[in-house]
Structures are given as structure tokens and as C-alpha cells.
Amino acid sequence: MTTRIHEILKKYPSELLTEWLAAMATSGVRRDALMKEAELREQCAEFLRLLTQATEHGNVTDTSSTGYHGVREMLDRLSRARSLQGFSPSETATFIFSFKQPVFERLRRELASQPELVTDELWNITVLLDKLGLYTTEVHQRTREEVIVRQQQEMLELSTPVVQLWDRIVCLPLIGTLDSGRTQTVMESLLQRIVETGAEIAIIDITGVPTVDTLTAQHLIKTVTATRLMGAECVISGIRPQIAQTIVHLGVDLAGVVTKSSVAGAFNWALRRLSQTVAQPSSRGAAGKA
């Protein structure tokens, strides 16, 4: 039974390709705005060639076998590309499912004198194409998930900018929830910036952090510890009354950690720590200009 399918694929490649493209055109699944006809034809021709090779030996429905390596590799590339181009999972899978119509017709014609084989052959090709269609959906979904994770990571990096406020003073404003993944990114960004600027004091501002629980406090302590290991002092600013009460209620030990209610307070502390001052504009100079 497996050789009949292979023989048909090998005997009618051009006819199957033409009928396949026509089936996709009439079904309305083509997206000419996203893919040109020449590119689609090339993909269909490559799939037919690889499928013909794969069905030559062994169980035609065993798509996990080494014989189907080329087919899987091609569908992997196709599904990833279509996912990035904007095709939906169903549109990507229909690339395979739409091949059923032309190959079914060919099987019926070739086996017209052997009706007892038609059902078995149709079942084999149905199982085969269904497996390959589902495989494209799985790859498409994985690609989307990878894109989402990458975008989340990029947004995370953008949401944790380390700003140099003054000579040897940097500030890391935090906004939103501080979880384990973000803590790692925060520490890496802060430590890298300390190395680049030679900072001696790092201000971590949590004004934009809505709530502080035990886990969040532990993440802050880890960041403070890592900063100290780099030879820099760490100040936590943005300690609001409700956050202070929460920290006390949770029994979180922030002993030895400098805390301030605002960035301005932390900045003033940092200047004094470094024996630096910010001079006010001279009133005499202002009067002379007047």
C-alpha cells in the first residue's frame, strides 16, 4: 500500500503541483499580500519532492522516522517563516491539508480498477497529511512563543534603565512587579553599569513598585548584596509609609541597608557620602544680571 502512494507522487509531480496550487487558490487560503505565487509554487514543489523521497521506503505514516527528516526540516523552516510573516496557525496547516484534494483524486483514478484498495490508501494518505499538518501547527506555535519571550525580555531590559545621576552615582528606577526573572535582569544591568561608570553608590528607586511582599524584599536584598560585592554602596529610595509598614509586618530584615523616602533624599545622602556638594547659583550674579 505504501508503494502505491509513492508511485503516484513520483508519476504525477507536475499534475499534482498544478492541481494543488489550484485547490489553494479556490479555497481562499492563499495570502498573496504576504507571499508571492512564485514563492508558494517553489515551496509546494520542494514539499512534493521531499515527500516523494520519504514515502519510497518504510511505513508511509511514520513521520517520526529518519526518512521524513527532510520533510520535517522543510516544514520547520516553512512554519517558522510563515509565523513571522503573519500567517495564522490554521493558514499554515492548510498548506498541507489542501494537498488532500488533488492526491485523493489521483488515488481514485489510479485505483479505479481496484476499489478494495482505495479505502486503505485514502486512510494512509489522510493519516500522513494530518500528522504533517499538525506538525506545522506545533512549530508555528513554538515560534510565536519564542517571539513573545524575546519581546518580553527586550521590554524587561528597556524597563530597567540604569541612569548615571552624578559622578560615581547611578540610579535604577523600578516600575512594576519585581519577580525572579526580572531580578536577574536588574542585577545584570546594574552591575554592568557599575563596572562601566566606576560608580561607588547605586540608588534603587522603588517608587513605581506597587506592593512589596516577602519575595520582593528578598529580591531587593539580593540586588543590594550583589552591588556590595562589586564594591559599591546601595541605597533604596521610594519607601512610602504603607511599604514601610508592610516590610515591618512581614518581618523583613533590612538592617544595614540605607533607605530613603525619595530619590532626592537618596541623592543627597550619596553626595554627602562621597564628600561632594551641588552649588546653588550665586545670588550676587543673579542680581548683577538684573
Side-chain angles (χ1 to χ4, degrees), residues 21-40:
L21 290 169
M24 282 192 281
T26 56
S27 63
V29 298
R30 281 178 48 175
R31 296 283 296 276
D32 293 336
L34 300 177
M35 178 179 295
K36 301 301 180 184
E37 182 178 355
E39 183 180 0
L40 178 61

Side-chain angles (χ1 to χ4, degrees), residues 2-222:
T2 59
T3 56
R4 293 303 181 91
I5 293 174
H6 170 71
E7 288 174 359
I8 290 175
L9 295 175
K10 186 176 180 179
K11 186 177 180 180
Y12 301 103
S14 58
E15 292 86 349
L16 286 170
L17 177 60
T18 301
E19 293 167 8
W20 188 10
L21 290 169
M24 282 192 281
T26 56
S27 63
V29 298
R30 281 178 48 175
R31 296 283 296 276
D32 293 336
L34 300 177
M35 178 179 295
K36 301 301 180 184
E37 182 178 355
E39 183 180 0
L40 178 61
R41 175 180 288 273
E42 183 179 344
Q43 290 177 348
C44 292
E46 182 183 5
F47 175 77
L48 270 173
R49 177 178 59 81
L50 293 171
L51 187 64
T52 302
Q53 295 173 358
T55 56
E56 185 175 3
H57 306 290
N59 186 352
V60 71
T61 61
D62 186 11
T63 59
S64 62
S65 65
T66 56
Y68 278 90
H69 175 74
V71 176
R72 294 195 304 271
E73 189 177 63
M74 180 266 174
L75 291 180
D76 192 277
R77 287 186 283 105
L78 179 142
S79 301
R80 288 182 177 276
R82 292 198 170 201
S83 176
L84 297 175
Q85 287 173 325
F87 286 88
S88 68
S90 61
E91 289 172 331
T92 303
T94 302
F95 170 80
I96 300 298
F97 296 148
S98 60
F99 185 54
K100 288 182 179 181
Q101 181 179 342
V103 76
F104 280 10
E105 291 299 324
R106 284 289 162 182
L107 282 170
R108 291 192 181 98
R109 294 177 197 173
E110 288 294 306
L111 301 177
S113 60
Q114 299 173 287
E116 68 280 1
L117 296 181
V118 174
T119 301
D120 290 333
E121 293 287 14
L122 290 180
W123 174 252
N124 282 332
I125 195 64
T126 297
V127 171
L128 170 61
L129 295 179
D130 284 349
K131 286 184 177 181
L132 295 178
L134 291 175
Y135 179 75
T136 64
T137 304
E138 293 171 359
V139 176
H140 186 286
Q141 185 63 29
R142 285 201 305 269
T143 304
R144 285 287 181 87
E145 291 173 354
E146 290 170 3
V147 170
I148 292 172
V149 170
R150 186 173 66 251
Q151 290 175 340
Q152 288 176 337
Q153 182 64 27
E154 292 172 351
M155 292 178 65
L156 189 58
E157 293 173 356
L158 290 173
S159 67
T160 54
V162 182
V163 182
Q164 184 169 6
L165 295 181
W166 201 258
D167 180 37
R168 293 177 291 167
I169 302 175
V170 296
C171 179
L172 173 63
L174 295 178
I175 299 175
T177 304
L178 192 63
D179 55 20
S180 299
R182 192 179 182 195
T183 300
Q184 185 64 32
T185 302
V186 165
M187 284 197 293
E188 290 176 359
S189 301
L190 181 58
L191 299 182
Q192 182 62 34
R193 192 62 172 158
I194 289 174
V195 172
E196 292 173 354
T197 62
E200 297 182 16
I201 296 180
I203 300 172
I204 301 178
D205 181 57
I206 63 171
T207 303
V209 177
T211 58
V212 173
D213 54 17
T214 304
L215 189 60
T216 302
Q218 290 175 352
H219 291 325
L220 287 173
I221 293 173
K222 288 180 181 179

